[in-house]
Amino acid sequence: MTNVTSDTPVALVSGASRGIGAEIARTLAAKGFDIVIVYYTTEPVPTDVKEECEKLRPGTKVIMIPADVSLEEDCKRVVNLTKDTFGRVDVLVNNAGITRDGLAMRMSVDQFTSVINTNLTSAFILSSLCLAIMARQKHGRIINMSSVSGVYGNPGQANYSASKAGLIGLTKSLAKEMGSRNITVNAIAPGFIETPMTASLSEEVKKAAIGRIALGRFGQPKDVAAIIAFLASDDAAYITGQVIEVSGGLTL
Ligand code: NAP
């Protein structure tokens, strides 16, 4: 591949095969970004997201990279391919995430570390690799997908909550470290959003959750994608180190 630096800004979105990540990819494509879609296991290969991004803004360049973002060598491959294809990376959205719920007293160490590695270590690795490029560009935006579980904790989610709380610490430290290079780092803390991840919740759990949400409903992926688009825009240039909750008032 050729190393071409174009004028079009580039957004790299992990976990963009479905759910919130797919909507972030579509929204950023519509806002003028070329897109790197990172996904893991989805079969068939999620070419529909790529095609939708290309349709939303004709001329949009989209590449898709299968990778396990918990592995350093896969993250290096993702960032190298991005650099070789586009010559730049302007926005990194660390969105890939998994749950492996269970009570802590019965949770295996593998159950704990697999969630930490996929949700948190991945964000550190991808951020570290992209920051080297962003620092040279003297511009960059990193947005980490945390959760209200990371702010308030959640029974049955010691692993997930720890990973999402870790993302908040990572966000604030990187914001302080990289501010002088014109790089902002922020986190989003969604509540309940309708995606494949929440589709498996029982009707009873969903009903109880809705009872606690001020707006009386689950959010949609576009509710999260909208704030990502704002944080990626020039209008958000003076916002860094923040955790923005998108929960319909769940935690009021
Ligand atoms: P989802 O529908 O389950 O999608 C998860 C995405 O992450 C998929 O694209 C998946 O790729 C990718 N992924 C998982 N493991 C990966 C790995 N090792 N390497 C690369 N990609 C991997 O989840 P979602 O609901 O859209 O959630 C997206 C993010 O928002 C997650 O970080 C989640 O924790 C967070 N969040 C969600 C909610 C909610 O209510 N939905 C609330 C708070 C926070 P494949 O499909 O290809 O495996």
Side-chain angles (χ1 to χ4, degrees), residues 15-21 38-42 67-70 95-98 118-119 145-147 160 164 190-193 195-198:
S17 56
R18 54 190 158 93
I20 296 171
V38 182
Y39 66 103
Y40 183 31
T41 55
T42 298
D68 178 351
V69 291
S70 68
N95 168 77
I98 57 167
T118 301
N119 297 6
M145 197 59 71
S146 181
S147 164
Y160 184 79
K164 296 299 185 181
F192 289 92
I193 308 296
T195 70
M197 185 178 270
T198 48

Coordinates of all heavy atoms in Angstrom, one line a residue, residues 15-21 38-42 67-70 95-98 118-119 145-147 160 164 190-193 195-198, ligand 1:
G15 N -14.5 -2.1 17.4 CA -15.8 -2.7 17.7 C -16.9 -2.0 16.9 O -18.0 -1.7 17.4
A16 N -16.6 -1.8 15.6 CA -17.6 -1.1 14.7 C -18.4 -2.0 13.8 O -19.0 -1.5 12.9 CB -16.8 0.0 13.9
S17 N -18.4 -3.3 14.1 CA -19.2 -4.2 13.3 C -20.7 -4.1 13.6 O -21.5 -4.5 12.8 CB -18.7 -5.6 13.5 OG -18.8 -6.0 14.9
R18 N -21.0 -3.7 14.8 CA -22.4 -3.6 15.1 C -22.7 -2.7 16.3 O -21.7 -2.1 16.8 CB -22.9 -5.0 15.5 CG -22.1 -5.7 16.6 CD -22.5 -7.2 16.7 NE -21.4 -8.0 17.3 CZ -21.3 -8.2 18.6 NH1 -22.2 -7.7 19.5 NH2 -20.3 -9.0 19.1
G19 N -23.9 -2.6 16.7 CA -24.2 -1.8 17.9 C -23.8 -0.4 17.9 O -23.8 0.3 16.8
I20 N -23.3 0.1 19.0 CA -22.9 1.5 19.1 C -21.7 1.9 18.2 O -21.7 2.9 17.5 CB -22.4 1.8 20.6 CG1 -23.6 1.7 21.5 CG2 -21.9 3.2 20.7 CD1 -23.3 1.7 23.0
G21 N -20.7 1.0 18.0 CA -19.6 1.2 17.2 C -19.9 1.4 15.7 O -19.4 2.3 15.1
V38 N -12.7 -1.6 12.9 CA -12.1 -2.7 13.5 C -13.1 -3.6 14.1 O -14.0 -3.1 14.9 CB -11.0 -2.3 14.6 CG1 -10.3 -3.5 15.2 CG2 -10.0 -1.3 14.0
Y39 N -13.1 -4.9 13.8 CA -14.1 -5.8 14.4 C -13.3 -7.1 14.7 O -12.1 -7.2 14.4 CB -15.2 -6.1 13.4 CG -14.8 -6.8 12.1 CD1 -15.1 -8.1 12.0 CD2 -14.1 -6.1 11.2 CE1 -14.7 -8.8 10.8 CE2 -13.7 -6.8 10.0 CZ -14.0 -8.1 9.9 OH -13.5 -8.8 8.8
Y40 N -14.0 -8.1 15.3 CA -13.3 -9.2 15.8 C -13.8 -10.5 15.1 O -13.2 -11.1 14.2 CB -13.4 -9.2 17.3 CG -12.6 -10.3 18.0 CD1 -11.5 -10.9 17.4 CD2 -13.0 -10.9 19.2 CE1 -10.8 -11.9 18.0 CE2 -12.3 -11.9 19.8 CZ -11.2 -12.4 19.2 OH -10.5 -13.4 19.9
T41 N -15.0 -10.9 15.6 CA -15.5 -12.3 15.2 C -16.7 -12.3 14.3 O -17.1 -13.3 13.8 CB -15.9 -13.1 16.4 OG1 -16.9 -12.3 17.1 CG2 -14.7 -13.3 17.3
T42 N -17.3 -11.1 14.0 CA -18.6 -11.1 13.3 C -18.5 -11.8 12.0 O -17.6 -11.6 11.2 CB -19.0 -9.6 13.1 OG1 -19.2 -9.0 14.4 CG2 -20.3 -9.6 12.3
A67 N -9.4 -7.8 13.9 CA -8.3 -7.8 14.9 C -8.9 -8.1 16.3 O -10.0 -7.6 16.6 CB -7.6 -6.5 14.9
D68 N -8.1 -8.8 17.1 CA -8.4 -8.9 18.5 C -7.6 -7.8 19.2 O -6.4 -7.8 19.4 CB -7.9 -10.3 19.0 CG -8.2 -10.4 20.5 OD1 -8.6 -9.4 21.2 OD2 -8.1 -11.6 21.0
V69 N -8.4 -6.7 19.6 CA -7.7 -5.5 20.2 C -7.1 -5.8 21.6 O -6.4 -4.9 22.1 CB -8.7 -4.3 20.2 CG1 -9.0 -3.8 18.8 CG2 -9.9 -4.6 21.0
S70 N -7.3 -6.9 22.1 CA -6.7 -7.2 23.4 C -5.2 -7.6 23.2 O -4.5 -7.8 24.2 CB -7.4 -8.3 24.2 OG -7.3 -9.5 23.6
N95 N -14.0 1.7 21.4 CA -15.4 1.3 21.7 C -15.5 -0.2 21.9 O -16.5 -0.6 22.6 CB -16.2 1.7 20.5 CG -17.6 1.1 20.6 OD1 -18.5 1.5 21.3 ND2 -17.8 0.1 19.7
A96 N -14.6 -1.0 21.4 CA -14.8 -2.5 21.6 C -14.9 -2.9 23.0 O -14.2 -2.4 23.9 CB -13.6 -3.2 21.0
G97 N -15.9 -3.7 23.3 CA -16.1 -4.2 24.7 C -16.9 -5.4 24.8 O -17.6 -5.8 23.9
I98 N -16.7 -6.1 25.9 CA -17.4 -7.4 26.1 C -17.9 -7.4 27.6 O -17.3 -6.7 28.4 CB -16.6 -8.7 25.9 CG1 -15.3 -8.7 26.7 CG2 -16.2 -8.8 24.4 CD1 -14.6 -10.0 26.8
T118 N -9.8 -7.0 27.1 CA -10.6 -6.5 25.9 C -11.1 -5.1 26.0 O -11.0 -4.3 25.1 CB -11.8 -7.4 25.6 OG1 -11.3 -8.8 25.5 CG2 -12.6 -7.0 24.4
N119 N -11.5 -4.7 27.2 CA -12.1 -3.4 27.4 C -11.1 -2.3 27.7 O -11.3 -1.1 27.3 CB -13.1 -3.4 28.5 CG -14.3 -4.4 28.2 OD1 -14.3 -5.1 27.2 ND2 -15.3 -4.4 29.1
M145 N -14.9 4.5 25.4 CA -16.3 4.1 25.8 C -16.3 3.4 27.2 O -16.0 2.2 27.3 CB -16.8 3.1 24.7 CG -18.3 3.0 24.8 SD -19.2 4.5 24.5 CE -18.8 4.8 22.8
S146 N -16.6 4.2 28.2 CA -16.7 3.7 29.5 C -18.2 3.3 29.7 O -18.8 2.8 28.8 CB -16.3 4.8 30.5 OG -16.4 4.3 31.8
S147 N -18.7 3.4 30.9 CA -20.1 3.0 31.2 C -20.5 3.6 32.6 O -19.6 3.8 33.4 CB -20.1 1.5 31.3 OG -21.3 1.0 31.9
Y160 N -16.3 -6.0 34.5 CA -16.7 -5.0 33.6 C -16.6 -3.6 34.2 O -16.0 -2.7 33.6 CB -18.1 -5.3 33.2 CG -18.7 -4.3 32.1 CD1 -18.4 -4.5 30.8 CD2 -19.6 -3.3 32.4 CE1 -18.9 -3.7 29.8 CE2 -20.1 -2.5 31.5 CZ -19.8 -2.7 30.2 OH -20.3 -1.9 29.2
K164 N -14.2 -0.5 33.1 CA -14.8 0.8 32.7 C -14.3 1.9 33.6 O -14.2 3.1 33.2 CB -16.3 0.7 32.6 CG -16.8 -0.3 31.6 CD -16.4 0.1 30.2 CE -17.0 -0.8 29.1 NZ -16.6 -0.4 27.8
P190 N -22.2 5.5 28.9 CA -23.6 5.3 28.5 C -24.3 4.5 29.7 O -23.6 3.8 30.4 CB -23.6 4.4 27.3 CG -22.2 4.5 26.8 CD -21.3 4.8 28.0
G191 N -25.6 4.6 29.7 CA -26.5 3.8 30.6 C -26.9 2.5 29.8 O -26.0 1.8 29.2
F192 N -28.2 2.3 29.6 CA -28.7 1.2 28.8 C -29.0 1.6 27.4 O -29.8 2.5 27.2 CB -30.0 0.6 29.5 CG -29.7 -0.1 30.8 CD1 -29.8 0.5 32.0 CD2 -29.4 -1.5 30.8 CE1 -29.6 -0.1 33.2 CE2 -29.2 -2.2 32.0 CZ -29.3 -1.5 33.2
I193 N -28.2 1.1 26.5 CA -28.4 1.4 25.0 C -28.9 0.1 24.3 O -28.3 -1.0 24.6 CB -27.1 1.9 24.4 CG1 -26.5 3.1 25.3 CG2 -27.3 2.4 23.0 CD1 -27.3 4.3 25.4
T195 N -28.7 -2.5 22.0 CA -27.7 -3.1 21.0 C -27.7 -4.6 21.3 O -28.3 -5.1 22.2 CB -26.3 -2.6 21.3 OG1 -25.8 -3.1 22.6 CG2 -26.2 -1.1 21.4
P196 N -26.9 -5.3 20.5 CA -26.8 -6.8 20.7 C -26.4 -7.1 22.2 O -26.7 -8.1 22.8 CB -25.8 -7.2 19.7 CG -26.0 -6.3 18.6 CD -26.3 -5.0 19.2
M197 N -25.6 -6.1 22.8 CA -25.0 -6.4 24.1 C -26.2 -6.4 25.2 O -26.2 -7.2 26.1 CB -24.0 -5.3 24.5 CG -23.4 -5.6 25.8 SD -22.1 -4.3 26.3 CE -20.6 -5.0 25.6
T198 N -27.2 -5.6 25.0 CA -28.3 -5.5 26.0 C -29.5 -6.4 25.6 O -30.4 -6.6 26.4 CB -28.8 -4.1 26.2 OG1 -29.0 -3.4 24.9 CG2 -27.8 -3.2 27.0
Ligands
NAP1 P1 -21.9 -5.0 21.0 O1 -23.1 -4.8 20.2 O2 -21.7 -6.3 21.8 O3 -20.6 -4.8 20.1 C1 -19.3 -5.0 20.6 C2 -18.3 -4.7 19.6 O4 -17.0 -4.9 20.1 C3 -18.4 -5.6 18.3 O5 -18.1 -4.9 17.2 C4 -17.3 -6.6 18.6 O6 -16.8 -7.2 17.4 C5 -16.3 -5.8 19.3 N1 -15.3 -6.6 20.0 C6 -15.5 -7.4 21.1 N2 -14.4 -8.0 21.4 C7 -13.4 -7.5 20.6 C8 -12.0 -7.8 20.5 N3 -11.4 -8.6 21.3 N4 -11.3 -7.2 19.5 C9 -12.0 -6.3 18.6 N5 -13.3 -6.1 18.7 C10 -14.0 -6.7 19.7 O7 -21.7 -3.9 22.1 P2 -22.4 -2.4 22.2 O8 -23.5 -2.5 23.1 O9 -22.4 -1.8 20.9 O10 -21.2 -1.7 23.1 C11 -20.2 -1.0 22.6 C12 -19.4 -0.3 23.7 O11 -20.2 0.4 24.5 C13 -18.8 -1.4 24.6 O12 -17.5 -1.0 25.1 C14 -19.7 -1.5 25.8 O13 -19.1 -1.9 27.0 C15 -20.1 0.0 25.9 N6 -21.4 0.2 26.6 C16 -22.6 -0.3 26.1 C17 -23.7 -0.1 26.8 C18 -25.0 -0.7 26.2 O14 -26.1 -0.6 27.0 N7 -25.1 -1.3 25.1 C19 -23.8 0.6 27.9 C20 -22.6 1.1 28.4 C21 -21.4 0.9 27.7 P3 -17.3 -8.6 16.8 O15 -18.8 -8.5 16.8 O16 -16.7 -8.7 15.4 O17 -16.8 -9.6 17.7

